[in-house]
Amino acid sequence: MNDQELAELAERFRGMLRLAVFVSRRLDGSSDLSTTQVSILNMTEGAGLRMGVVAANLGVRVPSATEQVARLERVGLVERRADPSDARAVVVVRTPRGDQAAEEANRRRTARMVTVLDTLEADELEALRAALPVMDKINEHLHTLSNPKERLS
Amino acid sequence: MNDQELAELAERFRGMLRLAVFVSRRLDGSSDLSTTQVSILNMTEGAGLRMGVVAANLGVRVPSATEQVARLERVGLVERRADPSDARAVVVVRTPRGDQAAEEANRRRTARMVTVLDTLEADELEALRAALPVMDKINEHLHTLSNPKERLS
DNA sequence: GCCTAACATTTAGGCTACCTAAGTATGAAT
DNA sequence: ATTCATACTTAGGTAGCCTAAATGTTAGGC
């Protein structure tokens, strides 16, 4: 693939990201937990994660993660525990009620997504499936790179 | 593809949408125009669009579109003209300076995306390319359906 | 021809989620 | 022991979305 083709693909892929935001908006509306909050629940299953890791996974700064976690804590879906190995750190862990809420939120959202995918042909579904690991790779690559926003303004 | 497989794909695809948000955040940071604003510039090339159509394309309510357009108007990148066929309506049109700003913003963002895609193998790029029209179809399908958020809270 | 209902947009006010900067407390290193 | 770095929280600000209500325009029924 030459530079010209790559640039063209890049441009179309940019468009796809915008569509993804649009699609998310349509699918996640009318729900008690935000996408971000469900993400936090999903990543804090089991042993839990430190606040900084939560922030990194979300792609936001630490204070933003603190805020979301605080909100989830207020409604009893996660807990903040002291990290035994480092008294500065905090470990975010899902509570049993958090487990339940996560399970339900995921089920509902997945069901809604199924109704969308149901309108696609078999080969289209296959194309989606094939693209998933590529997105994962892109994501992984970006994780190793830059920080969140760092606005210029 | 049976129901079980479809549900599994749906779940993974949900994850991909979340990644898309993450990737957007990394790629669109440090820029003078927001993704939404660039989208507006891109869609108002030429004849322009009515405010309601801008909102629908963005997947937001009309007042939100008004706000973004007002911001772009303030810096001289778009104009609001009266619709000759309907005095209630407004047509949003890109100005020459808007043309220039759109061209530059697109170039910069695409360049950044190219550096990401550059880390992928040929078959991975092909998988992305194949998924693009499918995303378009999903998007089109959602456009024909529901409205924006309509939060329950 | 008028009146009412529907429509396109703006204005006003509110909330969420992000940001930076600064403060607190702990850890590590000289 | 002091100093610098790290992990997090608090405080304050902004962007972008929302709903509800106000304004002006069009279209249909009588």
PDB file of all heavy atoms in Angstrom, chain C residues 5-17:
ATOM      1  P    DA C   5     -55.046  24.048  18.616  1.00  0.00           P
ATOM      2  OP1  DA C   5     -55.976  23.200  19.395  1.00  0.00           O
ATOM      3  OP2  DA C   5     -54.180  25.040  19.300  1.00  0.00           O
ATOM      4  O5'  DA C   5     -54.121  23.099  17.732  1.00  0.00           O
ATOM      5  C5'  DA C   5     -54.635  22.557  16.518  1.00  0.00           C
ATOM      6  C4'  DA C   5     -53.464  22.114  15.664  1.00  0.00           C
ATOM      7  O4'  DA C   5     -52.919  23.265  14.959  1.00  0.00           O
ATOM      8  C3'  DA C   5     -52.301  21.521  16.463  1.00  0.00           C
ATOM      9  O3'  DA C   5     -51.832  20.373  15.783  1.00  0.00           O
ATOM     10  C2'  DA C   5     -51.282  22.648  16.510  1.00  0.00           C
ATOM     11  C1'  DA C   5     -51.526  23.356  15.186  1.00  0.00           C
ATOM     12  N9   DA C   5     -51.178  24.775  15.177  1.00  0.00           N
ATOM     13  C8   DA C   5     -51.393  25.707  16.161  1.00  0.00           C
ATOM     14  N7   DA C   5     -50.980  26.912  15.855  1.00  0.00           N
ATOM     15  C5   DA C   5     -50.452  26.762  14.577  1.00  0.00           C
ATOM     16  C6   DA C   5     -49.855  27.677  13.694  1.00  0.00           C
ATOM     17  N6   DA C   5     -49.681  28.973  13.971  1.00  0.00           N
ATOM     18  N1   DA C   5     -49.433  27.216  12.500  1.00  0.00           N
ATOM     19  C2   DA C   5     -49.615  25.912  12.219  1.00  0.00           C
ATOM     20  N3   DA C   5     -50.173  24.959  12.974  1.00  0.00           N
ATOM     21  C4   DA C   5     -50.567  25.464  14.148  1.00  0.00           C
ATOM     22  P    DA C   6     -50.613  19.547  16.350  1.00  0.00           P
ATOM     23  OP1  DA C   6     -50.942  18.115  16.142  1.00  0.00           O
ATOM     24  OP2  DA C   6     -50.227  20.060  17.678  1.00  0.00           O
ATOM     25  O5'  DA C   6     -49.444  19.914  15.318  1.00  0.00           O
ATOM     26  C5'  DA C   6     -49.636  19.661  13.918  1.00  0.00           C
ATOM     27  C4'  DA C   6     -48.443  20.209  13.164  1.00  0.00           C
ATOM     28  O4'  DA C   6     -48.406  21.650  13.308  1.00  0.00           O
ATOM     29  C3'  DA C   6     -47.089  19.694  13.682  1.00  0.00           C
ATOM     30  O3'  DA C   6     -46.328  19.294  12.559  1.00  0.00           O
ATOM     31  C2'  DA C   6     -46.496  20.905  14.410  1.00  0.00           C
ATOM     32  C1'  DA C   6     -47.092  22.059  13.609  1.00  0.00           C
ATOM     33  N9   DA C   6     -47.198  23.332  14.323  1.00  0.00           N
ATOM     34  C8   DA C   6     -47.690  23.547  15.573  1.00  0.00           C
ATOM     35  N7   DA C   6     -47.657  24.804  15.953  1.00  0.00           N
ATOM     36  C5   DA C   6     -47.095  25.462  14.870  1.00  0.00           C
ATOM     37  C6   DA C   6     -46.785  26.823  14.629  1.00  0.00           C
ATOM     38  N6   DA C   6     -47.009  27.792  15.516  1.00  0.00           N
ATOM     39  N1   DA C   6     -46.219  27.133  13.442  1.00  0.00           N
ATOM     40  C2   DA C   6     -45.998  26.148  12.561  1.00  0.00           C
ATOM     41  N3   DA C   6     -46.246  24.839  12.663  1.00  0.00           N
ATOM     42  C4   DA C   6     -46.801  24.563  13.861  1.00  0.00           C
ATOM     43  P    DC C   7     -44.892  18.654  12.739  1.00  0.00           P
ATOM     44  OP1  DC C   7     -44.733  17.669  11.647  1.00  0.00           O
ATOM     45  OP2  DC C   7     -44.724  18.278  14.163  1.00  0.00           O
ATOM     46  O5'  DC C   7     -43.934  19.890  12.435  1.00  0.00           O
ATOM     47  C5'  DC C   7     -44.123  20.640  11.240  1.00  0.00           C
ATOM     48  C4'  DC C   7     -43.131  21.783  11.216  1.00  0.00           C
ATOM     49  O4'  DC C   7     -43.577  22.833  12.092  1.00  0.00           O
ATOM     50  C3'  DC C   7     -41.729  21.410  11.684  1.00  0.00           C
ATOM     51  O3'  DC C   7     -40.851  21.716  10.616  1.00  0.00           O
ATOM     52  C2'  DC C   7     -41.502  22.254  12.934  1.00  0.00           C
ATOM     53  C1'  DC C   7     -42.458  23.422  12.692  1.00  0.00           C
ATOM     54  N1   DC C   7     -42.962  24.149  13.899  1.00  0.00           N
ATOM     55  C2   DC C   7     -42.866  25.544  13.925  1.00  0.00           C
ATOM     56  O2   DC C   7     -42.350  26.124  12.961  1.00  0.00           O
ATOM     57  N3   DC C   7     -43.334  26.221  14.995  1.00  0.00           N
ATOM     58  C4   DC C   7     -43.888  25.558  16.006  1.00  0.00           C
ATOM     59  N4   DC C   7     -44.349  26.269  17.044  1.00  0.00           N
ATOM     60  C5   DC C   7     -44.005  24.134  16.007  1.00  0.00           C
ATOM     61  C6   DC C   7     -43.533  23.468  14.940  1.00  0.00           C
ATOM     62  P    DA C   8     -39.336  21.395  10.686  1.00  0.00           P
ATOM     63  OP1  DA C   8     -38.896  21.025   9.317  1.00  0.00           O
ATOM     64  OP2  DA C   8     -39.086  20.513  11.839  1.00  0.00           O
ATOM     65  O5'  DA C   8     -38.716  22.822  11.040  1.00  0.00           O
ATOM     66  C5'  DA C   8     -38.600  23.832  10.048  1.00  0.00           C
ATOM     67  C4'  DA C   8     -37.652  24.898  10.554  1.00  0.00           C
ATOM     68  O4'  DA C   8     -38.300  25.601  11.631  1.00  0.00           O
ATOM     69  C3'  DA C   8     -36.350  24.350  11.137  1.00  0.00           C
ATOM     70  O3'  DA C   8     -35.271  25.131  10.642  1.00  0.00           O
ATOM     71  C2'  DA C   8     -36.516  24.458  12.648  1.00  0.00           C
ATOM     72  C1'  DA C   8     -37.475  25.633  12.775  1.00  0.00           C
ATOM     73  N9   DA C   8     -38.370  25.574  13.928  1.00  0.00           N
ATOM     74  C8   DA C   8     -39.016  24.468  14.421  1.00  0.00           C
ATOM     75  N7   DA C   8     -39.776  24.720  15.462  1.00  0.00           N
ATOM     76  C5   DA C   8     -39.624  26.089  15.674  1.00  0.00           C
ATOM     77  C6   DA C   8     -40.165  26.979  16.623  1.00  0.00           C
ATOM     78  N6   DA C   8     -41.011  26.606  17.581  1.00  0.00           N
ATOM     79  N1   DA C   8     -39.805  28.274  16.546  1.00  0.00           N
ATOM     80  C2   DA C   8     -38.961  28.653  15.584  1.00  0.00           C
ATOM     81  N3   DA C   8     -38.382  27.910  14.622  1.00  0.00           N
ATOM     82  C4   DA C   8     -38.759  26.630  14.730  1.00  0.00           C
ATOM     83  P    DT C   9     -33.759  24.786  11.036  1.00  0.00           P
ATOM     84  OP1  DT C   9     -32.937  25.302   9.926  1.00  0.00           O
ATOM     85  OP2  DT C   9     -33.630  23.378  11.478  1.00  0.00           O
ATOM     86  O5'  DT C   9     -33.556  25.733  12.308  1.00  0.00           O
ATOM     87  C5'  DT C   9     -33.685  27.150  12.119  1.00  0.00           C
ATOM     88  C4'  DT C   9     -33.814  27.877  13.436  1.00  0.00           C
ATOM     89  O4'  DT C   9     -34.907  27.372  14.205  1.00  0.00           O
ATOM     90  C3'  DT C   9     -32.625  27.756  14.378  1.00  0.00           C
ATOM     91  O3'  DT C   9     -31.817  28.917  14.219  1.00  0.00           O
ATOM     92  C2'  DT C   9     -33.238  27.700  15.769  1.00  0.00           C
ATOM     93  C1'  DT C   9     -34.729  27.880  15.499  1.00  0.00           C
ATOM     94  N1   DT C   9     -35.593  27.134  16.438  1.00  0.00           N
ATOM     95  C2   DT C   9     -36.247  27.834  17.426  1.00  0.00           C
ATOM     96  O2   DT C   9     -36.171  29.034  17.573  1.00  0.00           O
ATOM     97  N3   DT C   9     -37.019  27.052  18.250  1.00  0.00           N
ATOM     98  C4   DT C   9     -37.178  25.680  18.194  1.00  0.00           C
ATOM     99  O4   DT C   9     -37.905  25.083  18.997  1.00  0.00           O
ATOM    100  C5   DT C   9     -36.460  25.015  17.137  1.00  0.00           C
ATOM    101  C7   DT C   9     -36.559  23.517  16.976  1.00  0.00           C
ATOM    102  C6   DT C   9     -35.712  25.759  16.314  1.00  0.00           C
ATOM    103  P    DT C  10     -30.518  29.113  15.138  1.00  0.00           P
ATOM    104  OP1  DT C  10     -29.664  30.084  14.440  1.00  0.00           O
ATOM    105  OP2  DT C  10     -29.982  27.796  15.526  1.00  0.00           O
ATOM    106  O5'  DT C  10     -31.128  29.812  16.438  1.00  0.00           O
ATOM    107  C5'  DT C  10     -31.840  31.048  16.285  1.00  0.00           C
ATOM    108  C4'  DT C  10     -32.259  31.567  17.647  1.00  0.00           C
ATOM    109  O4'  DT C  10     -33.202  30.643  18.246  1.00  0.00           O
ATOM    110  C3'  DT C  10     -31.124  31.731  18.661  1.00  0.00           C
ATOM    111  O3'  DT C  10     -31.238  33.031  19.215  1.00  0.00           O
ATOM    112  C2'  DT C  10     -31.372  30.625  19.695  1.00  0.00           C
ATOM    113  C1'  DT C  10     -32.871  30.419  19.595  1.00  0.00           C
ATOM    114  N1   DT C  10     -33.370  29.056  19.902  1.00  0.00           N
ATOM    115  C2   DT C  10     -34.328  28.884  20.881  1.00  0.00           C
ATOM    116  O2   DT C  10     -34.776  29.806  21.538  1.00  0.00           O
ATOM    117  N3   DT C  10     -34.740  27.583  21.058  1.00  0.00           N
ATOM    118  C4   DT C  10     -34.302  26.467  20.376  1.00  0.00           C
ATOM    119  O4   DT C  10     -34.754  25.358  20.609  1.00  0.00           O
ATOM    120  C5   DT C  10     -33.301  26.724  19.373  1.00  0.00           C
ATOM    121  C7   DT C  10     -32.752  25.585  18.573  1.00  0.00           C
ATOM    122  C6   DT C  10     -32.879  27.978  19.187  1.00  0.00           C
ATOM    123  P    DT C  11     -30.136  33.574  20.243  1.00  0.00           P
ATOM    124  OP1  DT C  11     -30.015  35.018  19.998  1.00  0.00           O
ATOM    125  OP2  DT C  11     -28.958  32.697  20.159  1.00  0.00           O
ATOM    126  O5'  DT C  11     -30.796  33.364  21.690  1.00  0.00           O
ATOM    127  C5'  DT C  11     -32.115  33.842  21.922  1.00  0.00           C
ATOM    128  C4'  DT C  11     -32.549  33.472  23.336  1.00  0.00           C
ATOM    129  O4'  DT C  11     -32.994  32.097  23.366  1.00  0.00           O
ATOM    130  C3'  DT C  11     -31.470  33.593  24.411  1.00  0.00           C
ATOM    131  O3'  DT C  11     -32.068  34.246  25.524  1.00  0.00           O
ATOM    132  C2'  DT C  11     -31.104  32.149  24.725  1.00  0.00           C
ATOM    133  C1'  DT C  11     -32.418  31.447  24.475  1.00  0.00           C
ATOM    134  N1   DT C  11     -32.355  30.013  24.089  1.00  0.00           N
ATOM    135  C2   DT C  11     -33.233  29.133  24.692  1.00  0.00           C
ATOM    136  O2   DT C  11     -34.033  29.463  25.542  1.00  0.00           O
ATOM    137  N3   DT C  11     -33.121  27.830  24.247  1.00  0.00           N
ATOM    138  C4   DT C  11     -32.260  27.347  23.298  1.00  0.00           C
ATOM    139  O4   DT C  11     -32.264  26.161  22.981  1.00  0.00           O
ATOM    140  C5   DT C  11     -31.374  28.328  22.715  1.00  0.00           C
ATOM    141  C7   DT C  11     -30.381  27.905  21.678  1.00  0.00           C
ATOM    142  C6   DT C  11     -31.466  29.598  23.131  1.00  0.00           C
ATOM    143  P    DA C  12     -31.212  34.731  26.767  1.00  0.00           P
ATOM    144  OP1  DA C  12     -31.776  36.026  27.202  1.00  0.00           O
ATOM    145  OP2  DA C  12     -29.771  34.633  26.448  1.00  0.00           O
ATOM    146  O5'  DA C  12     -31.565  33.618  27.857  1.00  0.00           O
ATOM    147  C5'  DA C  12     -32.937  33.231  28.039  1.00  0.00           C
ATOM    148  C4'  DA C  12     -33.036  32.228  29.161  1.00  0.00           C
ATOM    149  O4'  DA C  12     -33.015  30.883  28.624  1.00  0.00           O
ATOM    150  C3'  DA C  12     -31.912  32.278  30.194  1.00  0.00           C
ATOM    151  O3'  DA C  12     -32.475  32.040  31.475  1.00  0.00           O
ATOM    152  C2'  DA C  12     -30.977  31.173  29.751  1.00  0.00           C
ATOM    153  C1'  DA C  12     -31.991  30.139  29.252  1.00  0.00           C
ATOM    154  N9   DA C  12     -31.475  29.200  28.262  1.00  0.00           N
ATOM    155  C8   DA C  12     -30.562  29.437  27.273  1.00  0.00           C
ATOM    156  N7   DA C  12     -30.305  28.384  26.522  1.00  0.00           N
ATOM    157  C5   DA C  12     -31.110  27.394  27.062  1.00  0.00           C
ATOM    158  C6   DA C  12     -31.316  26.048  26.724  1.00  0.00           C
ATOM    159  N6   DA C  12     -30.684  25.449  25.706  1.00  0.00           N
ATOM    160  N1   DA C  12     -32.186  25.339  27.464  1.00  0.00           N
ATOM    161  C2   DA C  12     -32.819  25.941  28.480  1.00  0.00           C
ATOM    162  N3   DA C  12     -32.720  27.208  28.891  1.00  0.00           N
ATOM    163  C4   DA C  12     -31.834  27.884  28.135  1.00  0.00           C
ATOM    164  P    DG C  13     -31.637  32.173  32.813  1.00  0.00           P
ATOM    165  OP1  DG C  13     -32.485  32.876  33.788  1.00  0.00           O
ATOM    166  OP2  DG C  13     -30.301  32.677  32.467  1.00  0.00           O
ATOM    167  O5'  DG C  13     -31.511  30.648  33.297  1.00  0.00           O
ATOM    168  C5'  DG C  13     -32.680  29.821  33.336  1.00  0.00           C
ATOM    169  C4'  DG C  13     -32.264  28.403  33.637  1.00  0.00           C
ATOM    170  O4'  DG C  13     -31.831  27.732  32.416  1.00  0.00           O
ATOM    171  C3'  DG C  13     -31.080  28.294  34.607  1.00  0.00           C
ATOM    172  O3'  DG C  13     -31.337  27.223  35.487  1.00  0.00           O
ATOM    173  C2'  DG C  13     -29.905  28.020  33.680  1.00  0.00           C
ATOM    174  C1'  DG C  13     -30.590  27.117  32.660  1.00  0.00           C
ATOM    175  N9   DG C  13     -29.889  26.942  31.403  1.00  0.00           N
ATOM    176  C8   DG C  13     -29.109  27.858  30.736  1.00  0.00           C
ATOM    177  N7   DG C  13     -28.591  27.389  29.635  1.00  0.00           N
ATOM    178  C5   DG C  13     -29.060  26.085  29.560  1.00  0.00           C
ATOM    179  C6   DG C  13     -28.837  25.072  28.597  1.00  0.00           C
ATOM    180  O6   DG C  13     -28.161  25.130  27.562  1.00  0.00           O
ATOM    181  N1   DG C  13     -29.495  23.894  28.911  1.00  0.00           N
ATOM    182  C2   DG C  13     -30.275  23.709  30.026  1.00  0.00           C
ATOM    183  N2   DG C  13     -30.833  22.516  30.181  1.00  0.00           N
ATOM    184  N3   DG C  13     -30.499  24.647  30.945  1.00  0.00           N
ATOM    185  C4   DG C  13     -29.859  25.800  30.650  1.00  0.00           C
ATOM    186  P    DG C  14     -30.410  26.918  36.727  1.00  0.00           P
ATOM    187  OP1  DG C  14     -31.275  27.059  37.917  1.00  0.00           O
ATOM    188  OP2  DG C  14     -29.132  27.671  36.628  1.00  0.00           O
ATOM    189  O5'  DG C  14     -30.107  25.378  36.523  1.00  0.00           O
ATOM    190  C5'  DG C  14     -31.111  24.497  35.967  1.00  0.00           C
ATOM    191  C4'  DG C  14     -30.467  23.171  35.610  1.00  0.00           C
ATOM    192  O4'  DG C  14     -29.941  23.232  34.246  1.00  0.00           O
ATOM    193  C3'  DG C  14     -29.283  22.813  36.503  1.00  0.00           C
ATOM    194  O3'  DG C  14     -29.338  21.437  36.845  1.00  0.00           O
ATOM    195  C2'  DG C  14     -28.085  23.122  35.636  1.00  0.00           C
ATOM    196  C1'  DG C  14     -28.611  22.775  34.249  1.00  0.00           C
ATOM    197  N9   DG C  14     -27.863  23.427  33.178  1.00  0.00           N
ATOM    198  C8   DG C  14     -27.452  24.739  33.127  1.00  0.00           C
ATOM    199  N7   DG C  14     -26.767  25.010  32.046  1.00  0.00           N
ATOM    200  C5   DG C  14     -26.729  23.809  31.348  1.00  0.00           C
ATOM    201  C6   DG C  14     -26.131  23.486  30.112  1.00  0.00           C
ATOM    202  O6   DG C  14     -25.487  24.219  29.360  1.00  0.00           O
ATOM    203  N1   DG C  14     -26.325  22.152  29.771  1.00  0.00           N
ATOM    204  C2   DG C  14     -27.020  21.234  30.536  1.00  0.00           C
ATOM    205  N2   DG C  14     -27.111  20.007  30.059  1.00  0.00           N
ATOM    206  N3   DG C  14     -27.594  21.532  31.689  1.00  0.00           N
ATOM    207  C4   DG C  14     -27.404  22.830  32.040  1.00  0.00           C
ATOM    208  P    DC C  15     -28.328  20.870  37.930  1.00  0.00           P
ATOM    209  OP1  DC C  15     -29.165  20.359  39.032  1.00  0.00           O
ATOM    210  OP2  DC C  15     -27.226  21.847  38.186  1.00  0.00           O
ATOM    211  O5'  DC C  15     -27.684  19.643  37.154  1.00  0.00           O
ATOM    212  C5'  DC C  15     -28.467  18.797  36.310  1.00  0.00           C
ATOM    213  C4'  DC C  15     -27.516  17.961  35.479  1.00  0.00           C
ATOM    214  O4'  DC C  15     -26.998  18.786  34.403  1.00  0.00           O
ATOM    215  C3'  DC C  15     -26.322  17.463  36.268  1.00  0.00           C
ATOM    216  O3'  DC C  15     -26.165  16.072  36.048  1.00  0.00           O
ATOM    217  C2'  DC C  15     -25.146  18.254  35.728  1.00  0.00           C
ATOM    218  C1'  DC C  15     -25.605  18.614  34.326  1.00  0.00           C
ATOM    219  N1   DC C  15     -25.030  19.890  33.837  1.00  0.00           N
ATOM    220  C2   DC C  15     -24.401  19.906  32.582  1.00  0.00           C
ATOM    221  O2   DC C  15     -24.341  18.860  31.921  1.00  0.00           O
ATOM    222  N3   DC C  15     -23.870  21.059  32.123  1.00  0.00           N
ATOM    223  C4   DC C  15     -23.953  22.168  32.866  1.00  0.00           C
ATOM    224  N4   DC C  15     -23.417  23.285  32.374  1.00  0.00           N
ATOM    225  C5   DC C  15     -24.585  22.173  34.146  1.00  0.00           C
ATOM    226  C6   DC C  15     -25.108  21.018  34.591  1.00  0.00           C
ATOM    227  P    DT C  16     -25.074  15.271  36.904  1.00  0.00           P
ATOM    228  OP1  DT C  16     -25.763  14.111  37.472  1.00  0.00           O
ATOM    229  OP2  DT C  16     -24.301  16.191  37.778  1.00  0.00           O
ATOM    230  O5'  DT C  16     -24.087  14.768  35.755  1.00  0.00           O
ATOM    231  C5'  DT C  16     -24.630  14.336  34.514  1.00  0.00           C
ATOM    232  C4'  DT C  16     -23.488  14.151  33.528  1.00  0.00           C
ATOM    233  O4'  DT C  16     -23.069  15.439  33.024  1.00  0.00           O
ATOM    234  C3'  DT C  16     -22.249  13.488  34.118  1.00  0.00           C
ATOM    235  O3'  DT C  16     -21.817  12.518  33.188  1.00  0.00           O
ATOM    236  C2'  DT C  16     -21.285  14.649  34.307  1.00  0.00           C
ATOM    237  C1'  DT C  16     -21.670  15.568  33.160  1.00  0.00           C
ATOM    238  N1   DT C  16     -21.412  17.024  33.326  1.00  0.00           N
ATOM    239  C2   DT C  16     -20.856  17.727  32.285  1.00  0.00           C
ATOM    240  O2   DT C  16     -20.547  17.217  31.222  1.00  0.00           O
ATOM    241  N3   DT C  16     -20.665  19.069  32.529  1.00  0.00           N
ATOM    242  C4   DT C  16     -20.973  19.761  33.683  1.00  0.00           C
ATOM    243  O4   DT C  16     -20.756  20.952  33.759  1.00  0.00           O
ATOM    244  C5   DT C  16     -21.561  18.964  34.738  1.00  0.00           C
ATOM    245  C7   DT C  16     -21.923  19.613  36.022  1.00  0.00           C
ATOM    246  C6   DT C  16     -21.750  17.649  34.512  1.00  0.00           C
ATOM    247  P    DA C  17     -20.715  11.470  33.601  1.00  0.00           P
ATOM    248  OP1  DA C  17     -20.988  10.192  32.906  1.00  0.00           O
ATOM    249  OP2  DA C  17     -20.482  11.491  35.060  1.00  0.00           O
ATOM    250  O5'  DA C  17     -19.467  12.128  32.883  1.00  0.00           O
ATOM    251  C5'  DA C  17     -19.497  12.326  31.486  1.00  0.00           C
ATOM    252  C4'  DA C  17     -18.235  13.042  31.093  1.00  0.00           C
ATOM    253  O4'  DA C  17     -18.344  14.427  31.448  1.00  0.00           O
ATOM    254  C3'  DA C  17     -16.988  12.524  31.813  1.00  0.00           C
ATOM    255  O3'  DA C  17     -15.921  12.447  30.894  1.00  0.00           O
ATOM    256  C2'  DA C  17     -16.725  13.584  32.868  1.00  0.00           C
ATOM    257  C1'  DA C  17     -17.164  14.817  32.112  1.00  0.00           C
ATOM    258  N9   DA C  17     -17.443  15.966  32.952  1.00  0.00           N
ATOM    259  C8   DA C  17     -17.978  15.963  34.214  1.00  0.00           C
ATOM    260  N7   DA C  17     -18.086  17.161  34.741  1.00  0.00           N
ATOM    261  C5   DA C  17     -17.604  17.999  33.758  1.00  0.00           C
ATOM    262  C6   DA C  17     -17.450  19.391  33.704  1.00  0.00           C
ATOM    263  N6   DA C  17     -17.780  20.209  34.691  1.00  0.00           N
ATOM    264  N1   DA C  17     -16.924  19.917  32.566  1.00  0.00           N
ATOM    265  C2   DA C  17     -16.581  19.089  31.570  1.00  0.00           C
ATOM    266  N3   DA C  17     -16.681  17.765  31.516  1.00  0.00           N
ATOM    267  C4   DA C  17     -17.205  17.277  32.651  1.00  0.00           C
TER     268       DA C  17
END
